[in-house]
Structure formats: C-alpha cells, structure tokens
Amino acid sequence: MRGRTILITGAAGFSGLHACAYFASPAGGGMKVIGVVRDAGHARAVEVERTCASLDVCELTDGEAVRRLLVKHRPDYLLHLAGLNAVGPSWNAPALFLESNLMSTVHVLEAVRRLANGCRTLVAGSLLRNEWPGGGAAPDPRHPYGLSKTMQVSAVRCWHQLYGSDALVAE
C-alpha cells in the first residue's frame, strides 16, 4: 500500500483521527493520507494536519467542491466518515441530516465515478436491521437520523448496481 493515497473525510472526528493515524502508520500501509475537514478552524484540525500528509477543507454538500477535491488529490482510496451523527437534533433539522449524510455521500460517489481512476470507496454507514424489513416493504426508521443513514446506505448500494462503482458500506 506504500505510495498509495487515501482521502479521509470527517478526519477531525473521533473515527477520522484514528483512521488518519492508522493509515499513515506502517501497520496501515504507510499511505499518504489526505485528511478532509469542513472547517479549518475545527478544534482538532491541528491534530489532523500533524497526522496526515496534508489537510484539505471541503464542504461535502457542495458537489462541485467535492469534484475539485478529488481532481486535486486523485486518491486511490476514499474513506467517507463525514456526516452528522445525533438522534436528538435530527428531529429539529431533518433536511440538514439528509443533506449532510445522504447528499454528501452522493456527491462523493459521483465525484469518484466521474474521476474514473479506479478509486475504491468505503462509506461508514449504519442501518438497523428493523429499519429495512425486506420483501419490498418501505424502510421504517425510528428517527430522521436513522432515515438519513438508511438512505445513505441505499445510495451506496444503488451506485454499485447502477454504475458498477467500487464502493462498499461498512456497517
């Protein structure tokens, strides 16, 4: 894996910081890690910058910004960890959660597809088994956050079916 580039969204989050450190280490392949944050002023941006080969700022709900990010770095791998993660606030801002979790993922998938460089993508998703009953029945999320994550997982699976994208969901 040495010499390969991995772009990690949500790099300033709990999982993101650990992923950056792991993939930069010899155990993780000693990869060139590009840490992506929404805000350069984030409290942990300095840690990301210290751990990664470089730090980049991108608003993932802006499809054109995501496209430019991928063209700039041309990663071999992309680990998508960014998004909103809270049940309570999702009740008051369901559209924000859908935009942050679903649409940012769609923008990432589209940018990777259009880059056409063979970038392999892993999306950190979550899907409660009781939210997608199967047999053609509609999902039954328990809250707007659950809806946003269910739709995110569905989008990744559909991009694989529709476009043959090399994208997986880690649940």
Side-chain angles (χ1 to χ4, degrees):
M1 295 267 208
R2 206 166 287 295
R4 299 281 186 158
T5 299
I6 185 168
L7 190 141
I8 300 175
T9 67
F14 177 79
S15 297
L17 283 171
H18 287 286
C20 288
Y22 174 76
F23 286 108
S25 75
M31 300 174 81
K32 176 183 177 185
V33 178
I34 310 300
V36 179
V37 298
R38 175 183 289 165
D39 177 10
H42 190 286
R44 291 190 224 145
V46 172
E47 285 181 69
V48 174
E49 198 164 23
R50 195 172 337 130
T51 304
C52 297
S54 70
L55 170 72
D56 213 322
V57 178
C58 185
E59 176 53 63
L60 299 176
T61 61
D62 177 345
E64 182 55 28
V66 175
R67 187 196 67 76
R68 286 191 307 268
L69 175 74
L70 266 67
V71 166
K72 175 182 176 182
H73 294 291
R74 304 188 79 73
D76 300 293
Y77 304 97
L78 192 149
L79 177 57
H80 182 47
L81 300 173
L84 293 178
N85 184 8
V87 171
S90 75
W91 287 104
N92 295 321
L96 178 63
F97 276 73
L98 284 166
E99 185 177 35
S100 295
N101 294 334
L102 171 61
M103 291 311 299
S104 69
T105 301
V106 168
H107 293 313
V108 164
L109 293 169
E110 262 305 277
V112 168
R113 182 174 79 87
R114 295 194 181 277
L115 187 62
N117 73 334
C119 178
R120 300 180 77 185
T121 305
L122 181 65
V123 177
S126 57
L127 179 66
L128 300 177
R129 297 292 173 227
N130 62 352
E131 289 183 356
W132 206 287
D140 183 23
R142 304 296 184 230
H143 37 71
Y145 167 69
L147 172 64
S148 73
K149 296 303 280 187
T150 299
M151 298 299 290
Q152 177 190 46
V153 168
S154 182
V156 174
R157 290 177 179 168
C158 287
W159 247 252
H160 178 74
Q161 288 297 111
L162 293 168
Y163 301 109
S165 69
D166 197 358
L168 297 171
V169 176
E171 294 181 35

